[in-house]
């Protein structure tokens, strides 16, 4: 038990810091009705090393957490600033001073669906950024899943609900069984949707293209940020539009983006090699600029960083 959450000794639960191995609930709790967030805090100035931590895009993640709660009918019992104080207390208790992943989890209590538990576990992670890291350029072979992405008229992908990840799990397991690293989803109309835990980006003729929010995707904090800085700061034209499977196969470059995977280059899809160079030059430029933003080195995005 003590090795839970990659060694994080403490988490925050229902209003206070507790030892992770004592953060226990009844087996009868409807955890499957819960929602969560995936957030990261990076060491400033030196994102692979040790130093002062700042959480990235806290407000955007809190906006989405509250939207997920509204969609799934959960009542949040704490304010955002209370959750931020809780996070700070957990980081202090664990004595963390290098990159951490933060996963607030909210689920209704057994017997009273109007009351919820709120837990904030944290754990360390190794960033794959910048693009000069060998981990970044690792080969990653994807397949288009035979499972379709859940759609808004059945289980809305716009809420970050645990239940949605049963769909992702089917696709990942199928991909591994078939000898691939992971999977990409099509939506119920047959257009490209997203990855199992990240958004898809395609580079074609110098332009960045990503599926629209109506293609059964999670409204990704990272994708929104890329749509903001890529056209303006990097001067790469950017389009959010429906993308066909064939267009994705015939991309010059393709990658996934998200808080967890950061920028994950795609080597091949259904054994069709993507583009000529791997990772592609535009993928690398975006990844390197993103890592500068995360490290607090881009002034105009410093407001996205909250010191913890
Ligand atoms: N889609 C899915 C299904 C995800 O789980 C994630 C990760 N949260 C994303 C997209 C990317 O979202 P974000 O950039 O907010 O991490």
């Amino acid at each position: 038990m003590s090795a839970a959450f990659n060694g994080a000794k403490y988490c925050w639960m229902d209003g206070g810091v507790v030892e992770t191995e004592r953060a226990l609930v009844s087996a009868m709790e409807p955890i499957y009705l819960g929602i969560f967030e995936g957030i990261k805090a990076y060491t400033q100035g030196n994102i692979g090393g040790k130093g002062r931590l700042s959480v990235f895009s806290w407000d955007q993640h809190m906006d989405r957490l509250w939207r997920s709660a509204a969609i799934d009918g959960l009542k949040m019992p704490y304010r955002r600033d209370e959750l931020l104080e809780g996070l700070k207390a957990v980081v202090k208790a664990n004595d963390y001073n290098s990159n951490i992943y933060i996963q607030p989890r909210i689920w209704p209590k057994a017997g009273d669906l109007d009351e919820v538990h709120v837990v904030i576990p944290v754990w360390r992670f190794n960033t794959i950024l910048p693009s000069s890291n060998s981990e970044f350029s690792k080969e990653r072979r994807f397949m288009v899943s035979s499972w379709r992405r859940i759609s808004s008229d059945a289980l809305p992908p716009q809420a970050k609900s645990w239940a949605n990840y049963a769909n992702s799990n089917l696709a990942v397991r199928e991909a591994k069984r078939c000898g691939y690293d992971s999977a990409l989803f099509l939506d119920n109309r047959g257009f490209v949707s997203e990855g199992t835990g990240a958004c898809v980006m395609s580079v074609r003729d110098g332009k960045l293209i990503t599926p629209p929010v109506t293609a059964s995707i999670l409204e990704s904090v990272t994708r929104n940020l890329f749509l903001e800085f890529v056209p303006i700061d990097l001067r790469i034209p950017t389009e959010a539009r429906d993308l066909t499977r064939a267009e994705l196969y015939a991309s010059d470059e393709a990658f996934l983006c998200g808080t967890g995977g950061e920028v994950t280059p795609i080597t091949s899809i259904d054994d069709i090699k993507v583009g000529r160079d791997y990772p592609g030059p535009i993928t690398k430029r975006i990844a390197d600029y993103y890592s500068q933003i995360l490290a607090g080195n881009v002034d105009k995005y410093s407001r996205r960083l909250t010191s913890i």
Side-chain angles (χ1 to χ4, degrees):
M1 260 309 264
S2 56
F5 307 125
N6 294 354
K9 191 155 189 271
Y10 298 99
C11 68
W12 188 88
M13 185 174 192
D14 296 335
V17 172
V18 293
E19 276 189 52
T20 305
E21 62 181 31
R22 293 184 196 284
L24 304 174
V25 293
S26 155
M28 303 313 288
E29 297 272 337
I31 296 177
Y32 54 90
L33 296 179
I35 57 171
F36 69 108
E37 261 309 315
I39 311 172
K40 277 182 172 176
Y42 286 87
T43 328
Q44 294 305 281
N46 168 25
I47 64 168
K50 294 199 185 309
R52 192 170 59 81
L53 284 177
S54 284
V55 56
F56 188 66
S57 297
W58 174 259
D59 288 339
Q60 289 75 8
H61 284 287
M62 290 300 105
D63 284 347
R64 189 170 63 196
L65 185 62
W66 258 259
R67 284 192 194 128
S68 297
I71 293 169
D72 286 359
L74 302 179
K75 285 193 197 122
M76 293 294 291
Y78 299 103
R79 298 187 312 267
R80 293 158 181 236
D81 60 300
E82 291 172 319
L83 297 188
L84 186 60
E85 286 314 308
L87 170 61
K88 286 179 182 171
V90 167
V91 169
K92 195 167 172 213
N94 285 301
D95 202 18
Y96 278 162
N97 63 356
S98 61
N99 297 343
I100 53 164
Y101 184 75
I102 303 148
Q103 193 180 75
R105 304 170 172 197
I106 291 92
W107 71 92
K109 288 184 180 171
D112 186 354
L113 296 183
D114 281 340
E115 280 200 28
V116 297
H117 284 294
V118 180
V119 178
I120 309 179
V122 297
W123 58 87
R124 289 198 174 93
F125 73 90
N126 290 323
T127 175
I128 65 164
L129 298 171
S131 70
S132 52
N133 279 351
S134 58
E135 208 38 39
F136 182 84
S137 309
K138 213 176 80 177
E139 178 182 85
R140 295 181 193 87
R141 300 172 55 244
F142 285 74
M143 70 177 278
V144 172
S145 183
S146 70
W147 297 98
R148 293 293 169 100
R149 188 64 178 139
I150 44 170
S151 61
S152 299
D153 57 354
L155 194 59
Q158 289 77 23
K160 198 165 167 66
S161 315
W162 287 116
N164 297 355
Y165 290 83
N167 179 229
S168 297
N169 182 50
L170 288 170
V172 171
R173 282 178 179 266
E174 177 189 48
K176 302 251 183 213
R177 249 188 346 260
C178 296
Y180 296 92
D181 295 300
S182 195
L184 302 172
F185 280 115
L186 302 180
D187 68 11
N188 61 345
R189 303 165 307 156
F191 288 104
V192 175
S193 176
E194 61 180 349
T196 56
C199 284
V200 181
M201 301 257 161
S202 159
V203 178
R204 294 170 58 90
D205 299 325
K207 189 187 272 183
L208 187 72
I209 306 167
T210 191
V213 289
T214 44
S216 289
I217 67 167
L218 180 73
E219 290 183 73
S220 151
V221 172
T222 319
R223 172 185 172 282
N224 286 348
L225 174 69
F226 286 16
L227 289 175
E228 198 180 312
F229 80 70
V230 171
I232 296 169
D233 300 26
L234 304 184
R235 296 183 179 281
I236 296 165
T238 305
E239 232 184 313
R241 66 153 171 90
D242 278 326
L243 189 68
T244 67
R245 177 178 188 160
E247 282 180 299
L248 186 63
Y249 281 165
S251 298
D252 300 324
E253 305 175 29
F255 62 92
L256 291 170
C257 75
T259 306
E262 302 171 331
V263 174
T264 311
I266 294 174
T267 317
S268 63
I269 304 165
D270 294 339
D271 295 315
I272 298 169
K273 190 172 173 297
V274 176
R276 229 181 16 204
D277 304 317
Y278 180 82
I282 290 185
T283 306
K284 286 197 216 164
R285 268 184 76 199
I286 294 172
D288 290 336
Y289 195 74
Y290 181 48
S291 70
Q292 290 298 320
I293 293 176
L294 296 171
N297 296 334
V298 180
D299 279 350
K300 70 187 264 202
Y301 287 110
S302 58
R303 64 191 150 79
R304 286 243 185 185
L305 291 155
T306 307
S307 178
I308 51 168

